[in-house]
Amino acid sequence: MAKKQDSGLKNRKADYEVVFASKAGSRVLADLMVQFHMGRSSHITGDSHETAFREGERHVVLHILDMMGKRSSPDWLNEKLDQGEIEYSVIQEFS
């Protein structure tokens, strides 16, 4: 059973890589990173509900990066930065 689950996870990770590694997918991922608080604080002073909501949005992007194995990959981020696909503020999250 564990082998089947491992195979399913590998397939899903490969699917994420195919989708988000394409040119269009990279642009969509970069947009998600900018829109959902990847380069700035998601904390809203005095509003714990809004903070939690924003963290939930941010977590989705982190999950995508995790599935691609890119969450802690400065080379990948630097490449997207050089290509203008990710705003400079996003890279600060991973420094």
Side-chain angles (χ1 to χ4, degrees):
M1 182 96 168
K3 193 169 191 117
K4 190 172 185 175
Q5 287 176 338
D6 290 344
S7 176
L9 179 60
K10 281 184 180 180
N11 289 340
R12 281 195 313 279
K13 285 183 175 191
D15 290 344
Y16 275 77
E17 185 66 33
V18 167
V19 169
F20 288 105
S22 71
K23 222 171 185 170
S26 290
R27 286 192 304 267
V28 169
L29 181 55
D31 182 60
L32 292 172
M33 292 173 80
V34 171
Q35 295 301 315
F36 298 119
H37 322 289
M38 289 303 297
R40 60 192 185 280
S41 175
S42 59
H43 180 260
I44 301 296
T45 304
D47 192 341
S48 60
H49 295 290
E50 182 64 20
T51 298
F53 179 77
R54 289 179 175 210
E55 273 301 299
E57 292 176 326
R58 188 172 169 273
H59 182 77
V60 171
V61 179
L62 290 172
H63 175 73
I64 292 168
L65 292 172
D66 281 343
M67 291 297 282
M68 294 174 60
K70 305 293 187 193
R71 184 171 179 174
S72 59
S73 177
D75 293 338
W76 179 82
L77 289 169
N78 285 330
E79 179 183 316
K80 297 301 175 191
L81 181 65
D82 290 345
Q83 294 171 356
E85 294 181 31
I86 296 177
E87 294 178 16
Y88 180 76
S89 63
V90 172
I91 202 99
Q92 294 171 358
E93 178 72 21
F94 300 94
S95 299

